[in-house]
């Protein structure tokens, strides 16, 4: 079986299948792989300076009277001034110093930074306000819930001890919780999104828990006891996994340590991750991600390269950040999430022109240097991305976001139809449930700091009848939009060969016209098509195919094939110029799409122990489009790819097939959609098997598993997921029982 036949058959099979916190005083026990904590500076050793500002994470306003402490220096180092500023001299040079901030009414905050001899490291501490607090009797335990979010903690009876001695506490215990929201600003998170194993993580929300006895001593969970926590879902990417890893913040090393898992529950916009923990710190729901690097440079306003400048990448469509310093030539190399989009700017307090990088699967080089402002000068707010208009079904949540560069101490005020919205003073404005009466409302946001203010362009909200989006076929079409492009670009060309033999192009149409070329010459009908290194092109004019009388094709398409000698790997670039594909049922047109652009795929086949494994990775090139001629909607592909795989588990009889959407990103009418996730299911390869043998094979195969989800502007609107009954579809939080059928 040749690779290109497998590619076509798997795409068809899959599509058909688819359509059927700190402050506890203890961080628990650091893992063995955790780097050592920074040592106190030795007399005469190189030292540097740490300086910056502390702000409230919910308002961005400076906080006075905050105690700060560098972990490697014993005792409290000082308190912030009225403008939130602070500084600490004689800090030992190190790649990672941890600074802690403490103030009543807020969860303890932590910042990690590199300190260089003779230089000042500029940082910003962002403190999350306490969301809920209570006192309780240790012998009884307690449940504390935040009335404004899904956050909660369940403490078992006799579950708390003195964090230092392990003794039972005396008197009433105070518990405080704070939610840490990386969606409003990824910098709200303690640390720098680095795990104890050196990997980069993406956050989907975090929770800080503080326990104190009557005298203010820190408490923690007793040995052998566990607590249940709920972390509100909060992420810029809006791609939550059903099960996710839990990480706790090690307050000594400044790194995140993986420990346990949590499960997604609740209904948007009040979803949360629930799991159990055996000690308290800041707990984070995270996934490990792949990264690429952005290469660039920083210069002065006089175009001179600047050494030692801190550069920061902040996720725009994911919750994460990373930092790097420029070298003597002013060059930097900073990480961003693979296939993600991030803003790149010089770190506070000096500001630079900001750049947007990504999405990309490979490293990026910025076209121009970031220009740093003179010392002491601060920039007015600048929008990194426009506030996006959105289309949403009635009853669903909607959020508008302001992604900014500039001075950290920014204030926000949202307006609706030109009028101020009371209480809408954060970078994200949420409507928990929109109605048809909200349709055509216009939203703007005014962002200000000490250097000036800026007002966003208008974003319009369009609300549609929920029945439109609740249609299952519509959900499937969105989730598998990439396959529509594959049909348009590849289907016409596949008509020219059959089982390894070239066909005469004029013979492929029942009615209409088709013509084709092979390597620029007429296709040699009747000859062998075994050599898979060629370019084939076809032109169609209302061609109703011999294979399928319900499909009509028009337009031009081409494909470039590259194969190895063993025909175990194949690369194909498909391209369509105004290829229109009309599908009919009886005399009714059920689909009418026109495609433009390219779609690339790479396929491999391997064998081990006599069993075959096939993998295909396909990705529309950025800018490729599909026009739905029935609705007028245009789908524009942005980034991401799809992985199709098939692994035999019984030779020639049974295989496990999977489809994985990897941040498949596209827009429709300017609205951003992202498909993400993995579905695996068994497939009987021999269609001639009697039904009893077929059922016996399926009963011995691994169960259907996984899910593929779809988000609109960061909010999940639907998913297809595995159950014991087969596949189910959930749309806007409601499971569609009509989809409970095995693939």
């Amino acid at each position: 079986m040749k690779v290109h036949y497998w590619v076509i058959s798997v795409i068809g099979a899959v599509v058909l299948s688819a359509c059927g916190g700190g402050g506890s005083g203890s961080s628990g026990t650091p893992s063995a792989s955790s780097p050592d904590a920074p040592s106190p500076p030795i007399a005469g050793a190189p030292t540097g300076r740490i300086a910056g500002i502390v702000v409230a994470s919910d308002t961005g306003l400076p906080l006075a009277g905050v105690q700060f402490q560098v972990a490697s220096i014993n005792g409290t180092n000082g308190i912030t001034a009225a403008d939130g500023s602070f500084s600490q001299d004689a800090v030992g040079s190190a790649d990672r110093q941890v600074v802690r901030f403490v103030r009543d009414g807020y969860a303890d905050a932590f910042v990690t930074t590199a300190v260089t001899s003779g230089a000042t490291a500029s940082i910003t501490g962002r403190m999350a306000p306490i969301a809920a607090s209570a006192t309780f009797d240790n012998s009884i335990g307690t449940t504390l819930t935040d009335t404004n979010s899904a956050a909660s903690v369940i403490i078992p009876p006799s579950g708390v001890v003195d964090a230092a001695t392990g003794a039972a506490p005396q008197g009433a215990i105070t518990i405080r919780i704070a939610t840490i929201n990386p969606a409003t600003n990824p910098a709200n998170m303690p640390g720098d999104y680095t795990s104890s194993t050196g990997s980069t993580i993406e956050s989907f929300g975090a929770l800080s828990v503080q326990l104190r006895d009557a005298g203010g001593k820190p408490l923690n969970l007793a040995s052998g006891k566990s607590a249940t926590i709920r972390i509100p879902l909060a992420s810029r990417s809006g791609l939550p996994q059903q099960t996710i890893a839990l990480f706790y913040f090690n307050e000594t090393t400044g790194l995140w340590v993986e420990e346990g898992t949590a499960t997604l529950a609740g209904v948007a916009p009040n979803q949360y991750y629930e799991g159990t923990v055996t000690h308290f710190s800041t707990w984070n729901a995270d996934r490990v991600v792949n990264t690429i690097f952005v290469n660039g440079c920083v210069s002065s306003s006089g175009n001179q390269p600047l050494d030692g400048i801190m550069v920061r990448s902040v996720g725009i469509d994911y919750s994460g950040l990373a930092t790097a310093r420029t070298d003597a030539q002013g060059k930097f190399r900073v990480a961003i999430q693979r296939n993600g989009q991030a803003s790149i700017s010089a770190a506070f307090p000096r500001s630079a022109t900001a750049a947007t990088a990504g999405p990309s699967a490979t490293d990026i080089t910025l076209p121009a240097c970031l220009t740093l402002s003179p010392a002491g000068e601060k920039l007015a707010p600048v929008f990194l991305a426009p506030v996006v208009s959105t289309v949403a079904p009635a009853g669903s949540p909607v959020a508008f976001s302001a992604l900014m560069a500039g001075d950290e101490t920014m204030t926000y005020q949202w307006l609706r139809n030109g009028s101020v919205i009371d209480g809408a003073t954060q970078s994200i404005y949420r409507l928990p449930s929109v109605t048809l009466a909200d349709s055509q409302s216009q939203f703007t946001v005014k962002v200000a700091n000490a250097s000036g203010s800026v007002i966003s362009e208008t974003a319009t909200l369009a609300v549609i009848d929920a029945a439109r989006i609740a249609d299952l076929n519509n959900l499937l079409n969105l989730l598998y939009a990439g396959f529509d492009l594959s049909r348009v670009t590849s289907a016409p060309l596949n008509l020219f060969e059959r089982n390894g033999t070239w066909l005469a192009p004029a013979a492929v149409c029942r009615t209409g016209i088709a013509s084709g070329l092979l390597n620029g010459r007429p296709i040699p009908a009747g000859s062998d098509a075994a050599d898979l290194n060629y370019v084939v092109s076809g032109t169609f004019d209302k061609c109703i195919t011999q294979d399928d009388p319900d499909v009509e094709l028009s337009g031009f398409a081409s494909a470039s094939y590259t194969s190895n000698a063993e025909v175990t790997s194949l690369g194909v670039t498909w391209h369509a110029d105004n290829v229109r594909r009309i599908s009919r049922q009886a005399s009714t047109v059920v689909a009418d799409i026109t495609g433009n652009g390219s779609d690339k795929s790479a396929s491999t086949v391997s064998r081990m122990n006599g069993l075959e494994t096939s993998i295909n990775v396909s990705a529309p090139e950025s800018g490729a489009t599909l026009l739905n001629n029935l609705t007028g909607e245009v789908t524009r592909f942005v980034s991401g790819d799809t992985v199709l795989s098939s692994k035999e588990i019984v030779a020639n009889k049974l295989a496990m097939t999977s489809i994985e959407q990897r941040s498949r990103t596209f827009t429709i009418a300017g609205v951003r959609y992202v498909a993400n996730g993995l579905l695996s299911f068994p497939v009987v390869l021999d269609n001639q098997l009697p039904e009893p043998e077929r059922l016996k094979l399926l009963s011995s195969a691994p169960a259907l598993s996984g899910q593929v989800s779809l988000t609109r502007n960061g909010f999940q609107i639907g998913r297809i997921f595995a159950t014991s009954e087969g596949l189910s579809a959930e749309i806007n939080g409601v499971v569609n029982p009509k989809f409970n059928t095995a693939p």
Side-chain angles (χ1 to χ4, degrees):
M1 180 170 61
K2 291 192 174 110
V3 179
H4 62 312
Y5 299 142
W6 172 83
V7 172
I8 296 164
S9 63
V10 167
I11 288 176
V14 171
V15 172
L16 290 174
S17 298
C19 293
S24 65
S26 172
S27 295
T29 303
S31 69
S33 60
S34 298
D36 293 336
S39 301
I42 300 172
T47 62
R49 181 172 179 266
I50 297 177
I53 189 172
V54 181
V55 301
S57 65
D58 56 337
T59 65
L61 297 176
L63 293 175
V66 177
Q67 298 179 12
F68 64 91
Q69 178 188 8
V70 179
S72 62
I73 302 176
N74 293 329
T76 298
N77 303 146
I79 61 173
T80 59
D83 62 355
S85 63
F86 70 94
S87 65
Q88 175 63 43
D89 297 324
V91 180
S93 298
D95 290 336
R96 180 177 294 271
Q97 288 280 11
V98 181
V99 186
R100 181 179 196 147
F101 302 98
V102 180
R103 180 182 153 167
D104 286 343
Y106 293 85
D108 293 5
F110 299 84
V111 175
T112 59
T113 185
V115 176
T116 304
S117 177
T120 297
S122 298
I123 64 175
T124 299
R126 302 183 63 85
M127 303 193 73
I130 297 298
S133 62
T135 58
F136 67 96
D137 184 332
N138 189 34
S139 65
I140 299 175
T142 190
T143 297
L144 177 61
T145 300
D146 176 16
T147 57
N148 295 315
S149 76
S152 73
V153 179
I154 301 175
I155 304 292
S158 303
V160 177
V161 296
D162 186 297
T165 67
Q170 302 298 315
I173 296 171
T174 299
I175 179 172
R176 302 181 180 92
I177 60 174
T179 57
I180 298 175
N181 191 329
T184 56
N185 188 336
N188 288 341
M189 198 67 62
D192 57 2
Y193 293 83
T194 302
S195 77
S196 60
T197 61
S199 57
T200 298
I201 57 177
E202 177 187 2
S203 175
F204 289 81
L207 183 71
S208 171
V209 181
Q210 296 179 346
L211 291 168
R212 296 285 189 271
D213 68 8
K217 286 186 178 180
L219 308 174
N220 217 313
L221 290 174
S223 176
K225 296 288 186 176
S226 62
T228 300
I229 62 172
R230 289 182 175 180
I231 301 174
L233 173 63
S235 175
R236 289 184 171 182
S237 74
L239 299 173
Q241 300 175 194
Q242 192 63 32
T243 301
I244 201 166
L246 286 174
F247 288 73
Y248 71 85
F249 185 70
N250 186 309
E251 297 165 4
T252 302
T253 65
L255 297 167
W256 292 95
V257 183
E258 183 174 355
E259 186 177 293
T261 60
T263 302
L264 186 65
V267 177
N270 295 311
Q271 290 180 288
Y272 55 86
Y273 279 108
E274 181 173 301
T276 58
V277 299
T278 57
H279 56 90
F280 284 124
S281 173
T282 300
W283 284 94
N284 201 350
D286 300 289
R287 67 175 179 183
V288 175
V289 297
N290 294 322
T291 58
I292 62 170
F293 287 90
V294 177
N295 300 295
C297 52
V298 178
S299 64
S300 68
S301 55
N303 205 32
Q304 295 299 311
L306 296 175
D307 182 15
I309 301 299
M310 182 68 73
V311 176
R312 186 171 69 175
S313 70
V314 178
I316 291 176
D317 57 3
Y318 65 93
S319 295
L321 62 81
T323 59
R325 285 191 182 273
T326 59
D327 62 16
Q329 288 75 45
K331 296 181 179 180
F332 65 83
R333 180 173 169 84
V334 66
I336 69 171
Q337 185 169 310
R338 179 179 180 269
N339 288 324
Q341 189 175 42
S343 67
I344 313 296
S345 62
F348 179 85
R350 296 179 68 190
S351 300
T353 53
T356 299
S360 175
T362 58
D363 289 357
I364 299 168
T365 298
L366 297 179
C369 288
L370 303 177
T371 304
L372 198 67
S373 62
E377 179 182 331
K378 298 179 182 179
L379 297 181
V382 176
F383 283 94
L384 294 170
V387 180
V388 180
S389 296
T390 188
V391 180
S396 68
V398 166
F400 295 98
S401 299
L403 302 178
M404 312 300 299
D407 181 8
E408 289 279 355
T409 57
M410 288 180 279
T411 61
Y412 301 83
Q413 179 59 66
W414 289 89
L415 300 92
R416 176 171 178 161
N417 298 327
S419 299
V420 169
I421 304 172
D422 290 340
T425 56
Q426 297 189 23
S427 61
I428 295 179
Y429 174 61
R430 291 184 173 85
L431 291 85
S433 179
V434 297
T435 68
L436 294 176
D438 294 316
S439 192
Q440 302 309 308
S441 295
Q442 296 185 328
F443 295 86
T444 56
V445 60
K446 181 179 180 180
V447 186
N449 63 11
S451 302
S453 64
V454 63
I455 299 178
S456 70
E457 296 181 1
T458 299
T460 302
L461 170 64
V463 182
I464 60 176
D465 189 335
R468 281 185 58 190
I469 194 64
D471 179 78
L472 182 57
N473 289 330
N474 193 21
L475 173 64
L476 287 169
N477 289 338
L478 288 169
L479 278 170
Y480 296 98
F483 290 115
D484 284 333
L485 183 65
S486 296
R487 288 191 186 100
V488 168
T489 56
S490 66
L493 304 174
N494 294 331
L495 297 174
F496 292 158
E497 61 84 23
R498 187 65 41 80
N499 297 324
T501 301
W502 290 111
L503 302 180
V508 302
C509 305
R510 292 173 180 247
T511 61
I513 300 171
S515 61
L517 297 174
L518 177 65
N519 295 327
R521 298 180 179 181
I523 292 177
S527 65
D528 187 5
D531 180 7
L532 293 180
N533 292 278
Y534 53 76
V535 178
V536 61
S537 62
T539 301
F540 303 86
D541 184 7
K542 297 182 179 180
C543 173
I544 295 179
T545 68
Q546 297 283 5
D547 287 345
D548 191 344
D550 294 325
V551 173
E552 177 184 308
L553 299 167
S554 297
F556 171 82
S558 65
S560 175
Y561 290 83
T562 303
S563 171
N564 64 355
E566 297 79 19
V567 198
T568 57
S569 68
L570 176 68
V572 186
T573 298
W574 315 93
H575 182 77
D577 286 332
N578 289 318
V579 175
R580 185 173 184 178
R581 188 177 192 274
I582 301 174
S583 300
R584 296 180 175 86
Q585 289 183 357
S587 59
T588 303
V589 175
V590 294
D592 184 351
I593 56 176
T594 299
N596 279 282
S598 298
D599 185 22
K600 291 188 175 182
S601 71
S603 307
T604 59
V605 174
S606 60
R607 299 190 71 86
M608 181 175 292
N609 299 324
L611 300 177
E612 184 175 278
T613 297
S614 305
I615 300 174
N616 171 258
V617 181
S618 64
E621 289 195 339
S622 179
T625 61
L626 281 173
L627 167 63
N628 185 330
N629 295 295
L630 299 181
T631 65
E633 291 180 333
V634 175
T635 300
R636 184 176 300 275
F637 294 92
V638 178
S639 61
D641 54 26
T642 300
V643 181
L644 307 173
S645 65
S646 176
K647 182 176 183 180
E648 283 185 341
I649 52 180
V650 179
N652 300 317
K653 290 187 177 182
L654 184 67
M656 285 300 295
T657 298
S658 68
I659 174 170
E660 181 180 10
Q661 300 281 19
R662 300 194 300 193
S663 297
R664 171 81 80 170
T665 305
F666 54 94
T667 63
I668 299 177
V671 178
R672 185 182 179 91
Y673 294 84
V674 182
N676 212 60
L678 173 71
L679 275 173
S680 297
F681 44 87
V683 173
V684 175
L685 301 175
D686 186 352
N687 293 329
Q688 305 302 315
L689 281 180
E691 188 66 11
E693 188 173 348
R694 178 179 179 274
L695 294 176
K696 183 178 179 180
L697 274 174
L698 288 173
S699 67
S700 66
L704 177 76
S705 62
Q707 74 167 11
V708 177
S709 66
L710 181 71
T711 64
R712 180 202 291 113
N713 281 346
F715 284 92
Q716 182 171 296
I717 60 170
R719 63 187 178 113
I720 296 173
F721 62 99
T723 71
S724 59
E725 304 292 331
L727 288 178
S728 289
E730 179 182 320
I731 304 168
N732 291 328
V734 178
V735 175
N736 189 330
K738 295 180 181 179
F739 201 61
N740 286 340
T741 177

